[in-house]
Structure formats: C-alpha cells, structure tokens
Amino acid sequence: MTVYLGAAPGVGKTYAMLDEARRRLERGTDVVVGYVETHGRQHTEGKLDGLEVLPRRRIVYRDTEFTELDVDAVLERRPAVVLIDELAHTNVPGSRHAKRYQDIADLRAAGIEVITTVNIQHLESLNDEVERITGVRQRETVPDEVVRTADAIQLVDMAPEALRRRMAHGNIYRPENIDASLASYFRVGNLTALRELALLWLADRVDDALGDYRRAHRIEHPWPTKERIVVAVTGGPESVTLLRRGARLAQRAAGSELIALHVVAADGLRTHDEQTITRTVELARSLGASYHSVVGEDVPAAVVDFASGANATMIVVGVSRHGRLRRSFLGTTGDRIAQLAGSIDVHLVTHEQVAGRWRPGRLTSALPIRRQVAGWLLALALPLALAELLRLPEISSGQLDLVTLVLLASTVLIALVGGLLPAMLGAVVSFLSLNWWFTPPTGTFTIAEPRNLLTLVVFVAVAIGVATVVDRASRLASDALRARTEATTMTSLSRSVLTGQDTAEAIVQRVRETFGQSAVSLLERTPGGWALLAGDGADPPTRPGDGVAEVVVDDDHLLVLRGEPLRAGDRRVLEAFGIQTSLVLEYRRLREREVRAALLESTEATSTALLRAVSHDLRTPLATMRASVDGLRTAEVDAADRRLLLDALGDAGEQLERLIDNLLDLSRVQAGLVRPQLVSASLDEALLPALVGFAPGEVSLEFGDDVPWVLTDPGLLERVVANLVGNAVRVSAGVPVRVLAHVGRDAVDILVVDRGPGVPPEQRERMFEPFQRLDDHSPGGLGLGLAVARGLTEALGGRLSAEDTPAGGLTMVLSLPRAPGVEDDARVDATGGVR
C-alpha cells in the first residue's frame, strides 16, 4: 500500500495519486480506479482520462442513494494496482465494512496493491490536537497503525499562502464556500500548525523505519539522524540539576529529544528517595522529556545499552558523589560510561552533592534501638568475658590462634546483634584483650615479637571487614524484607484500584490493619469544619491533630491515624494509601456523575423523541379525526361517505388511544410504578384474549392443554402478547404468525414466530429501547411497543429476547416462571397417569 498523506485539504493528494497511476500505466502496469473523489475540480477530473474506472456500488439508505467502493468488483477484476481515495472514509450502512480502510485490508489480503490518500487531521492519534488547533472535530478517523503499515508514505505539502491562493482561485471549494473557509479552517496559523503536525508525524514514521533497518542489519552503533540526549538520573537530589542541564542542551538544536533514564539495581532494593524520584518524573515531563526506568546489575553498561538502543547522540551524567578513596580504587560511573559509550558523546555535569565532606549520616544504623543498646553492651562485655574464660591454663597455653578465632567469632556475633559500630568497638576491645593477656609480655600493651603484632593487626582488619559484611548483609536483608512487604502492599493496592473493589470504609480498615493502629479515620472538609466520612477502630479521630500521623488525600479529605508512631519508611506506603483513597473518591464522584449524565441523556433522548413523536405521529390521527369531523359537518355527505368518515374517525381514535396508552405505560415502567398481581394462570387465560383483535388466518395458536400454568398477571401478560403478535403480523406479509409454547424445568417459553425480514443481531437489543423503530416505516407508531413489552415482562419476573427464525424472520421469546404446585395437576390425564 502507498499512502499520499496531505497536510490539509486541497494540497493535491488525489492529483498526485492520479499522476503516479498514469506513470505506472505508461510503464505497462495494470492500474484501475476503484474510487476517486474529484469534488468537481477540473484539473483532477482531467487526470482520469485514459484510466479504467470501475463502477461504484449503489446503496439506498433512508430513501437516498449513495455510491461506495465496490470491493467485489475490484476482487473480480483483480488488477495489479487499484486507486482508492479517502482512506478514513466511513461507509454507508449496508456496505461490506463500516470503514474504507477495512475494505482496503481485504484487497491487500487478496494481493492487490492499493494507492490511497488521507489527510493528517484524520489520524486517530492527532484528532484531539487538530480540534484544539482548528476548533473542528473530525468525525472520520483512521488508526495510525493502518497508515504506519503502508509500504510507502508520500507527504503532499504546500505552503499556507500558496494553499490559500489556490482556494481563492476556486480550485478547491465552490465560490460560495471560499470566504468562510479562508476565515476559519484555512487560516495561516491553522495551516502552519497542520503542516508541522504532518512533518513531525512523518519524521517519527521515518525514525521507526530507520530503527527497524538498524535492528534488521544488526547495526549497534547509533546513527546521529537527530539529537537525542539521555540524562542518567540517579534518584538523588542532583537529578534535578542534570535534567535542567540536559534540557538546555536539547534546546540548542531544533527537534531534539530529551530522555530521562533511571537504572534500578537488579536486586530490587530501594537505594533512593521515592519523593525525589517523583519530583524528578514530574520535572522530566514538564521539560518535555520522556522518563524511563530500567533494571541493571551494571549501571554504566545499562545506561550505554539504553542509549545505543534509543539511537542517542549524547549522555548527560553527574560527577560522582563518592569519596576520593573509592573513586581512586573503583573509578566512577561517569568514567565507565565514557569508556563504554563509543561514538556517543558524554557530558559530565558537576553539582552541589559532589563528595567533598564527611557525612555522618552514612554510619547511622537502621536497627531498632534495643538491638543497638544490646550490641554496645556486648561489645564491652563479651570480649572481656571470653578473654577471662580463655585465660584458663589448660586453654591459653600456646593457643593464641584459638583465642584469636574465638574473639573474632564474638566480633561477628556483635555485628549480627548491634550492627557495624558496636562490632568495631568489640574488635578494639578484643584487640586490647589479646594484647594484654595473651601476647608476651602479658600484663602490658608492649608486643615483643613482630609476628604477634602482625597477628593483632590482621585480627583487627579481619574483624572490621567481617563486621562490615555482616552489617551490610543484615541491612540488605532488612531492606529486602521491607521492600517485599511494600511491594506486596503496593500490588494489592494497585489491583484493588484497577478492579474498583475498594470503598472508603474498606480503605480505612486496611490502613488500620497494615500499620497496626488502634483507629483510623477519613475526614471530609465541610463548611462547618471536618466531618467523619469513614472510620475504623475504637473511637476513631474526628478532627485533624487527634492522631499520630496524617496524610492529605486531596484538598477536602484527610486520613488520620491513631496508635503507635510510624517509622519513617512507612510514610511512603501511607502516601500510597492516600493516593488510593483519592482515586476511590474520584471513582465515586465519576460514577455519580456518570449515573446523572446517563439519566439526563436518557431523559433528553426521551424528551426529544417524544416531542418528535407528538409533532408527527400524534398529529396523524388527530388530523384524520379533524378531517372526518369537518366532512361530517357538511350537508352534502351521503350515507356511504358518512359511514366511511365515521369508520375513519373510529380508527383514528383507536390509534390515538393506543399511542397514549403506550406513552403512559412507558412512563409507568420507567418510574417503577407497575405493580403486577401475580397469580397462577393457564396460558389460554392470557393468550386467547390477546388474539381476539386479529383477523382469521393471521395468527396460529399451536400448543395443547398440557402446558403447565405460569405465575403471572394475566392482564399485563395479555398486553405483552398482543404487542408482540401485532408487531409480528405487521411484518409477516400475509404469512400466519405462529404462537408456540416450550416447557422448561423452571419456566415456560412463549414463542411468537414471524416470517418477516428479521433484525440483524447487532440491532436486536437496540430495538427494545424507546422510540426505536429501525426499518419499521408503518404509520402510527412511536417505537414504544417493544420497550413497553420488555418493561412489563421484567415486572412480571420474566425475560423477553429475540432470536432468528430458522426459515427466515424473527422469533420473540417470552419466558415466564412456572406456577409452583399447579402444573402437576394440569398434566394428569383421564386415566390417572402422568403425561
């Protein structure tokens, strides 16, 4: 498929398409015109000369004839190339497909090449943007993917001033439409914006094609077709500085793309501040950047791999925050990225968080205070107690290595209990104990042999190293457990929000259970202060400040917790609960608005249809009655004419009465005022009176006396059956309507079978809506009969649906519950046996 993409109407898409067709025809290609719309333009019509034009399909819709693409004719002709204009066109009902691009898909599947046209404003993804620019909503759209799958896309462009001159010369619209178009849709600003949209969209399509080509040919190094800047954000406060610097770099080259990248450690443990990440994401979006988060064990390699895959031209990275010692031995992330980047430029940015001073926060412990106290006590007491035990003669004699190992084990135990700092103190105390009691000369801190000095130094180094590893492992295990708990909680929150299962009451209950609080309240701001919207627990807080923690849900709602103080790490999960609460409240507001909007829409539709009905259908019998009365007033009317006028007057009165009865019944059904009196009744009792008004031979009642009784209101059931049979008789064209009964285990189905034209499956539910007449053009109807019939059936506790008649037509299925305890007696025959 080849698509000629126009920036605006009138730029010459169809003209260019016909030009290509003529060139292909001259080269011997079998080209035909399937559908081309010239809009009366002489130059375009001239391009059709010499081309084979296939006949169009003619479709009559609402008494008007339309022409559409004849897909069957194209498939029968099977040309090599077919020209089809207006890809986004919506076909007239009754066509092969609803949209023209679906017709084209059939032709492509058959191996026929298609050349087509479309304007940029008809692309689905740009529909909202075009409406904001031009103020015109495009009703006919085509999915972007349909155009993207084309083998070639040709942009047909024209300068706005040239396009306006073409319109002024009468080459696009009729003279009477030129001034209005130039003053509205075809303003210079609108055309310029549409032109830019077309260029940008096509540039993305070309970029996708370039990416496909690079992947297909395994080209790993980037091709700098346009400036793409990847900013490697760390999750720290310097991320803001890096993003702003990257944005300034992107602004220097028009059309540059800014990408923010955050690499998460492969172990999944949190090593960054969530609030900082949130602010970074918001800043990236405000700067027009896309934000991406990837997982990687090697951060520099992950950054370079992402940048290569994105065809980036520059990587912006910050100067390392680590100290000089670590930078000297392990290098920095920026250095490794520069080594791996290859042809991608690396921009190193300094910031305020560059390492330069010692930060005591690095040594703070995340362990509970009780474990820290226990660790400090063990650091002082355990090495001394072990040293005192190991001083026994049978142990200490020549066993310096054994003593060293035991004290090293005590240092590991202290690290497990109290963390790194108590373990370091324990290592020093153990060192002093070894030196005082076990290293000759004992009783002093003097060391006689260099070998013993080396042993003590190695002991301290190993003890501190082991304590560091143990402390880090303990921290990681604690973080992993906390991360898993938070992930489970977040997953549960996300699932409940997506499924819409939570309520305000359920949320406060979950908050109380999750954080172990005694009471939780959701407060709502009112003109008189704060009111309790939902609460859980004993004596829930009723105003702000009554609890140990609060989280703002929105401007008018607040979560208040009462109980044990929360840890700092729990605050993030609590914020997630606040966000979920706001979503639940927003869903509740949206549902209420949706219900009100649906009610208003239904009321408006009913009112509009009722006014239309009153203005037409109710006037028809009134006009007949008035004409009959006027005729009866004249003295020249003979007896025969008088009888005809009286019959017409009676028929019009009955018709008017039926219409008014249907309107009243519909209003009663919609208001829920129908109160059926359910009794056990036989079908004969209800069906025979319903068929009295029909002529002999119009209806065939086909069931016996053994049909069980049903639980129903005979009067309402008569109305329903009469309505269904009346509709069936009207469409059966003289073929008798059959009324059958099918007995089920719990219900009896009444089948009203006609041989009319039937109703398509997709329209069967719609025909039960008020004022829906579908293809019924018979006079005197408002389209209320089936709506009233279904409403009355549901009031009776039954169901009304429509099915296909196997031999053609429609079968209405009226299902009613069987009457308990009555059907058994009705089914016993004269011999006492059960049939």
Side-chain angles (χ1 to χ4, degrees), residues 18 22 33 36 38 43-53:
L18 292 172
R22 297 181 70 86
V33 176
V36 167
T38 63
H43 298 290
T44 306
E45 291 176 348
K47 285 292 182 179
L48 286 171
D49 294 340
L51 295 175
E52 179 184 352
V53 180

Side-chain angles (χ1 to χ4, degrees), residues 44-64:
T44 306
E45 291 176 348
K47 285 292 182 179
L48 286 171
D49 294 340
L51 295 175
E52 179 184 352
V53 180
L54 295 180
R56 300 183 183 182
R57 182 183 179 188
R58 299 185 179 276
I59 301 175
V60 177
Y61 179 67
R62 293 182 178 177
D63 300 328
T64 305

Side-chain angles (χ1 to χ4, degrees), residues 461-480:
V462 171
I464 293 177
V466 171
T468 302
V469 172
V470 171
D471 177 73
R472 178 170 176 79
S474 177
R475 286 171 180 264
L476 292 178
S478 176
D479 287 345

Side-chain angles (χ1 to χ4, degrees), residues 471-630:
D471 177 73
R472 178 170 176 79
S474 177
R475 286 171 180 264
L476 292 178
S478 176
D479 287 345
L481 179 60
R482 187 179 302 111
R484 185 173 63 182
T485 304
E486 292 178 1
T488 303
T489 304
M490 297 294 187
T491 301
S492 176
L493 288 176
S494 301
R495 186 183 302 113
S496 61
V497 169
L498 291 175
T499 56
Q501 296 174 347
D502 270 350
T503 62
E505 292 75 13
I507 288 178
V508 295
Q509 181 181 1
R510 293 179 62 186
V511 171
R512 187 180 69 83
E513 294 173 352
T514 301
F515 298 101
Q517 299 295 299
S518 60
V520 177
S521 296
L522 176 60
L523 304 181
E524 183 177 25
R525 191 192 303 272
T526 63
W530 292 91
L532 181 64
L533 183 61
D536 188 67
D539 189 22
T542 58
R543 64 177 183 272
D546 282 354
V548 296
E550 297 176 358
V551 59
V552 176
V553 176
D554 53 36
D555 294 339
D556 297 321
H557 296 88
L558 186 71
L559 273 174
V560 182
L561 286 71
R562 177 184 292 166
E564 293 292 330
L566 297 179
R567 296 176 308 189
D570 293 336
R571 185 72 189 182
R572 184 177 65 260
V573 182
L574 183 59
E575 294 286 346
F577 272 102
I579 295 173
Q580 183 199 20
T581 306
S582 67
L583 292 175
V584 169
L585 295 176
E586 182 64 22
Y587 287 161
R588 177 185 293 180
R589 287 191 291 266
L590 290 176
R591 284 195 296 268
E592 292 174 353
R593 292 176 184 174
E594 182 180 4
V595 171
R596 289 197 298 269
L599 180 60
L600 292 174
E601 183 179 357
S602 176
T603 303
E604 181 182 0
T606 303
S607 300
T608 302
L610 180 59
L611 289 174
R612 186 170 59 247
V614 170
S615 64
H616 180 268
D617 294 277
L618 292 182
R619 281 185 177 182
T620 301
L622 289 175
T624 303
M625 295 171 70
R626 183 171 181 177
S628 300
V629 171
D630 291 342

Side-chain angles (χ1 to χ4, degrees), residues 379 383 411 422-434 459-460 463-464:
T411 304
M424 294 176 67
L425 176 62
V428 173
V429 173
S430 299
F431 168 80
L432 296 177
S433 299
L434 279 172
F459 169 80
V460 173
I464 293 177

